Amino acid sequence: MSDTSTGRGKVVVNRSMSLDGFIAGPGDAMDWVFDFVAPDEFPEIAAATGAMLVGRRTYEVGNRMNAGKERGSYPFSGPVFVLTHEPPAPPDPAVTFLTGDIGEAVATALDAAGERNLEILGADVAGQCLRRGLVDEILVYVLPVLLGDGIRFSSPGLGRIDLEPVSSTRSGAVSILRFRVSK
């Protein structure tokens, strides 16, 4: 799945979404995703991922979800970068906190990913990457649920971005859509 012409992986926005376009429910709720998708259900996606770049809110929501729970985990073992205006004190030794420009953050995380993909998680970080033309692909798991409210797939003011369909598959109740971002 890497870009063999450059020897680097792709920048991939990866997210689960309700049929009505929400990636998180009210109060940043994400637990509904696990009603349809097990964390380790798509090992080939995890194997193609060399690093992750997530936003601070996504990082904190993930920490709240994982506190005291043993639901299994995404089988990913690369570095995790968190883009934030204010790193926490004390810092989390399991992640690298980045501040500053989104382009520099993507370059740092993509370099760490090597020939594998950089996975982008979080509505704000994904929106910043899309606005700057830094995204190669979007991978969406459409789940059979209507949430009615929450965090939308794309942030307000994003503008039009043309996409080229790459694949459409199904795994159980989940429709998996992959798009290439037209540049």
Side-chain angles (χ1 to χ4, degrees), residues 21-157:
F22 295 100
I23 61 170
D28 295 324
M30 294 287 302
D31 54 342
W32 56 275
V33 170
F34 301 113
D35 294 341
F36 305 98
V37 179
D40 59 354
E41 188 166 341
F42 302 104
E44 68 282 1
I45 302 299
T49 302
M52 289 187 185
L53 176 62
V54 304
R56 176 72 181 264
R57 182 174 62 193
T58 300
Y59 165 75
E60 290 179 355
V61 168
N63 282 348
R64 282 195 308 269
M65 286 176 57
N66 291 332
K69 292 186 180 177
E70 291 295 327
R71 273 195 173 228
S73 63
Y74 189 51
F76 164 77
S77 60
V80 175
F81 298 88
V82 177
L83 185 62
T84 181
H85 295 289
E86 191 173 320
D92 180 343
V95 303
T96 300
F97 291 91
L98 303 173
T99 59
D101 179 70
I102 187 69
E104 292 172 12
V106 167
T108 297
L110 191 55
D111 185 52
E115 292 185 8
R116 293 188 293 160
N117 296 336
L118 170 60
E119 188 171 296
I120 305 292
L121 298 175
D124 186 53
V125 169
Q128 289 180 58
C129 289
L130 285 163
R131 275 192 272 299
R132 290 276 298 273
L134 301 171
V135 176
D136 298 307
E137 290 186 354
I138 298 174
L139 179 61
V140 183
Y141 306 89
V142 181
L143 307 181
V145 63
L146 301 172
L147 294 178
D149 195 11
I151 305 295
R152 291 222 168 262
F153 179 90
S154 65
S155 48

